[in-house]
Amino acid sequence: QKEVEQDPGPLSVPEGAIVSLNCTYSNSAFQYFMWYRQYSRKGPELLMYTYSSGNKEDGRFTAQVDKSSKYISLFIRDSQPSDSATYLCAMRGAGGTSYGKLTFGQGTILTVHP
Amino acid sequence: DAGVTQSPTHLIKTRGQQVTLRCSPKSGHDTVSWYQQALGQGPQFIFQYYEEEERQRGNFPDRFSGHQFPNYSSELNVNALLLGDSALYLCASSGDSFTGELFFGEGSRLTVL
């Protein structure tokens, strides 16, 4: 069993739709949770970073963490064609030595069509 | 301010050969991590370098080795290439921040024939 499981999709939605992306994890040591966006032929870029359980909002993006259920989500409101990309969840443990060691989900390909 | 830069962007090798990939971290960053991303998969952690030492290592064989130079740039070496080593190799750098946010380069795409 993989430490991080991500709904693989792919997802295709109309412009303006609400998108929900999800990951589950099995390692209780994971304390920090991230969502990265990766455009084709590019490196991942950080979208959201969360530590505690609950919601964190940034513009059209909301990250949700439920540590008791080992479940994280990313919601995208009013989706735009420019949101079309692969979305990767990532997580790591606590402590300075864990900073660079992220465990990623397999990614979800999102297409937003006009 | 230049971000993380990697070279080469693309390369083709044959089985059994050796390859060296290079990375310059974002200005001000002293820690470099390397990841392997197979097609359709998320990145997998290979190892991390800090102060010219390998600080952490993922589940990769000894064929994968690295180096960090005094200017914080880094190299990833892969010996005895296998077909399964074909992937996008990503370098990420981080500095002294609470979040330890990683900044990724655009990667080096390796094809092994």
Side-chain angles (χ1 to χ4, degrees):
Chain A
Q1 183 188 5
K2 291 184 178 179
E3 284 188 293
V4 179
E5 298 276 0
Q6 181 172 359
D7 291 342
L11 289 177
S12 181
V13 302
E15 184 175 353
I18 297 174
V19 176
S20 172
L21 306 167
N22 309 294
C23 287
T24 58
Y25 63 97
S26 58
N27 189 342
S28 298
F30 290 144
Q31 298 293 319
Y32 295 85
F33 306 91
M34 288 137 272
W35 286 95
Y36 280 83
R37 177 174 62 194
Q38 186 175 24
Y39 290 115
S40 180
R41 303 185 183 281
K42 300 288 187 181
E45 58 177 332
L46 183 66
L47 271 179
M48 299 286 284
Y49 174 96
T50 55
Y51 169 67
S52 56
S53 285
N55 293 352
K56 180 177 180 179
E57 190 173 316
D58 184 1
R60 297 184 295 112
F61 299 90
T62 300
Q64 193 172 76
V65 174
D66 182 349
K67 288 185 178 180
S68 62
S69 300
K70 295 188 178 67
Y71 185 86
I72 69 171
S73 299
L74 178 70
F75 298 95
I76 307 174
R77 291 184 300 279
D78 187 24
S79 56
Q80 302 295 310
S82 58
D83 294 328
S84 297
T86 297
Y87 289 80
L88 297 155
C89 65
M91 46 199 79
R92 67 171 177 86
T97 58
S98 298
Y99 278 0
K101 187 180 181 182
L102 301 182
T103 301
F104 283 85
Q106 68 186 92
T108 299
I109 299 173
L110 171 66
T111 302
V112 181
H113 50 86
Chain B
D1 175 25
V4 178
T5 58
Q6 293 187 243
S7 64
T9 54
H10 295 85
L11 69 167
I12 299 173
K13 294 285 187 179
T14 56
R15 280 176 296 174
Q17 285 190 312
Q18 178 263 345
V19 68
T20 298
L21 308 178
R22 296 174 176 81
C23 172
S24 292
K26 184 177 170 64
S27 178
H29 286 183
D30 57 6
T31 304
V32 172
S33 302
W34 286 92
Y35 287 80
Q36 179 195 65
Q37 187 175 24
L39 197 62
Q41 301 295 316
Q44 280 196 288
F45 176 75
I46 302 175
F47 42 52
Q48 181 185 67
Y49 276 84
Y50 172 70
E51 293 188 342
E52 302 179 52
E53 297 284 334
E54 183 182 291
R55 184 160 70 173
Q56 287 197 92
R57 189 178 183 92
N59 189 25
F60 278 80
D62 292 345
R63 298 187 297 109
F64 290 77
S65 63
H67 189 79
Q68 185 178 34
F69 299 94
N71 67 352
Y72 308 123
S73 67
S74 178
E75 288 181 349
L76 164 65
N77 300 292
V78 187
N79 294 323
L81 285 167
L82 304 174
L83 295 180
D85 294 331
S86 295
L88 180 68
Y89 288 85
L90 295 163
C91 172
S93 71
S94 54
D96 182 18
S97 73
F98 175 75
T99 65
E101 178 183 349
L102 292 187
F103 291 81
F104 283 86
E106 298 196 348
S108 294
R109 184 163 298 281
L110 171 65
T111 302
V112 182
L113 301 177

